[in-house]
Amino acid sequence: MSTADVVFPQQIKAPLFADIPSVYLLQADVVIAWDTFVITCSEATFFHRAGWQQVIEKAFGHKTWFLYAEINGEIDGVLPLVEINSYLFGHSLSSLPFCVYGGIAASSEAARLVLDQTAQRLAARLKVDYLEYRNLKPFHTDWPAKDLYVTFRKEIDPDVEKNMLAIPRKQRAMVRKGAKNGLQSCIDEDIEQFFHAYSVSVHRLGTPVFSKNYFRLLKAIFAEDCELMIITHENKVVSAVMSFYFRDEVLPYYGGGTDEARDLAANDFMYWELMRRACEHGYKIFDFGRSKRGTGSFSFKKNWGFEPQSLYYECQLHQTKALPNHNPLNPKYHLFIKAWQKLPLSLANLIGPYIVRNLG
């Protein structure tokens, strides 16, 4: 099905010239070709994979617009988009909500241009407040951008011990403290133990939690490329992390620890265990992920010897005149955060997914 049918019915379905890209919506019979392109495209990330369409539709119920451009019958560019229409948080078209990276991944300038033009026309037709691309590199420097997030990425040395010695001294001491405390790591296939550690952690921060169903879908759809690591102390779970694997990279994405984790240095030990295992399995990049400037998460990752790299979240404004500011650092959410921290964990886990599904 082409965007001529779904988005712009006034256009003809067939392209005028074979060497000019045509843009289509992702369908089930194109998933393999889409993911094959993503694996080989240097601009693509784990968050460009086709599986996110199912995850977001089934977990959150949002409308997806996963666009791809073809040249001579071959995919030459992809742009996964999600439409969120919320009474509280506005109407957006974004690549990609719930993901740290996104935007256009293309092998040619022609594909990049036609996908960008299609997304802008789609945003106008849908009358969204804004269109957002979450880029690793600048693209639309003329669009308003959120100068809030950075990412932390670093090469993994093939030698395990060299990776340990590359960690700054104080942080290295915390890793060794965790080992001395008798912490153990294991890989789990069920999300229950992970969810407990994760939900306790985000509740402590005053943040609404994602649903268990969301994590089950991530594990089911991405299979061996989505891994759960559990850290235990005396057979009790104290921290856990869900990581994604893509090409030669490992991305610890969702993680957290119980109240005992800090004293045991469980999170420090956990990320080292993940790095150690990735090194032993031949992975070359450790992607520590996104953090907001000036937060504890930002400082924690810098303490590991990682340098922050700016992220470029660029927005084209449509039905609004100002950039959205839906993040916990916004002063207007301070009272909400404090109230949320006082909720019983079971109640927070019950109602949190209904709030977070619209934040993206």
Side-chain angles (χ1 to χ4, degrees):
M1 185 181 298
S2 78
T3 53
D5 293 323
V6 180
V7 184
F8 312 118
Q10 73 275 17
Q11 290 183 335
I12 59 172
K13 181 175 181 179
L16 288 174
F17 303 100
D19 61 343
I20 295 177
S22 300
V23 178
Y24 300 90
L25 282 171
L26 176 63
Q27 301 294 319
D29 60 345
V30 188
V31 165
I32 294 176
W34 174 296
D35 277 340
T36 299
F37 171 80
V38 166
I39 286 293
T40 59
C41 178
S42 62
E43 296 182 350
T45 70
F46 182 83
F47 306 102
H48 287 89
R49 289 188 54 174
W52 285 100
Q53 183 180 51
Q54 287 189 65
V55 169
I56 289 171
E57 288 181 351
K58 291 181 178 180
F60 307 114
H62 298 313
K63 172 68 177 176
T64 62
W65 303 86
F66 274 43
L67 309 177
Y68 66 94
E70 280 190 357
I71 296 179
N72 297 323
E74 299 290 335
I75 294 180
D76 205 52
V78 299
L79 175 56
L81 290 162
V82 173
E83 181 184 359
I84 297 180
N85 196 354
S86 166
Y87 176 77
L88 289 176
F89 303 110
H91 189 189
S92 64
L93 186 65
S94 179
S95 179
L96 198 65
F98 313 105
C99 300
V100 295
Y101 314 137
I104 298 170
S107 297
S108 70
E109 192 60 32
R112 184 174 294 104
L113 178 62
V114 75
L115 285 167
D116 186 33
Q117 291 174 339
T118 302
Q120 292 186 43
R121 295 179 66 183
L122 176 59
R125 180 180 181 270
L126 295 173
K127 297 182 179 179
V128 298
D129 294 333
Y130 60 93
L131 167 67
E132 179 186 35
Y133 295 156
R134 299 184 173 184
N135 303 318
L136 280 162
K137 298 179 180 179
F139 179 42
H140 274 295
T141 56
D142 56 324
W143 289 7
K146 304 175 187 176
D147 185 22
L148 178 65
Y149 298 108
V150 298
T151 190
F152 293 84
R153 293 165 55 84
K154 188 177 181 181
E155 289 188 10
I156 301 172
D157 193 277
D159 186 292
V160 171
E161 187 59 26
K162 286 184 179 179
N163 289 309
M164 173 65 84
L165 294 175
I167 303 172
R169 182 176 57 83
K170 289 184 178 180
Q171 184 58 49
R172 191 164 65 242
M174 293 298 292
V175 172
R176 288 175 170 159
K177 176 183 176 182
K180 289 178 181 178
N181 284 331
L183 299 179
Q184 299 290 323
S185 68
C186 66
I187 303 303
D188 201 356
E189 293 299 320
D190 185 83
I191 64 101
E192 290 294 332
Q193 295 186 97
F194 156 80
F195 186 81
H196 171 69
Y198 171 75
S199 63
V200 168
S201 182
V202 297
H203 181 253
R204 188 166 57 243
L205 295 172
T207 304
V209 71
F210 288 106
S211 69
K212 285 186 180 181
N213 185 50
Y214 172 57
F215 295 111
R216 289 194 184 102
L217 284 166
L218 287 170
K219 182 59 183 166
I221 290 171
F222 295 118
E224 68 274 7
D225 294 330
C226 176
E227 180 187 81
L228 296 166
M229 175 182 283
I230 309 300
I231 305 299
T232 59
H233 179 251
E234 298 178 349
N235 297 318
K236 180 181 178 182
V237 175
V238 289
S239 61
V241 61
M242 173 179 277
S243 302
F244 300 138
Y245 289 87
F246 181 71
R247 291 195 290 243
D248 60 354
E249 304 176 11
V250 58
L251 302 84
Y253 201 65
Y254 293 109
T258 64
D259 293 338
E260 298 88 354
R262 180 185 292 271
D263 290 339
L264 292 169
N267 289 334
D268 310 88
F269 178 79
M270 175 176 71
Y271 289 116
W272 163 248
E273 280 293 281
L274 183 64
M275 186 182 295
R276 178 189 63 79
R277 292 183 70 257
C279 170
E280 292 175 349
H281 286 83
Y283 289 91
K284 298 179 180 179
I285 300 292
F286 193 91
D287 187 330
F288 230 148
R290 183 182 78 180
S291 292
K292 301 179 187 72
R293 301 179 193 274
T295 63
S297 172
F298 179 98
S299 299
F300 179 77
K301 293 169 185 178
K302 282 210 71 176
N303 290 342
W304 278 75
F306 285 64
E307 288 301 318
Q309 304 169 37
S310 294
L311 290 174
Y312 302 89
Y313 285 19
E314 300 167 343
C315 296
Q316 184 187 50
L317 305 183
H318 284 259
Q319 303 297 313
T320 186
K321 295 182 180 180
L323 284 174
N325 187 19
H326 308 313
N327 77 81
L329 298 182
N330 188 333
K332 75 177 185 179
Y333 294 125
H334 285 179
L335 290 178
F336 171 84
I337 290 171
K338 289 184 177 180
W340 194 266
Q341 290 170 325
K342 294 179 180 179
L343 288 177
L345 179 62
S346 58
L347 180 59
N349 288 350
L350 179 65
I351 63 179
Y354 295 98
I355 298 173
V356 76
R357 67 180 294 273
N358 290 315
L359 286 172

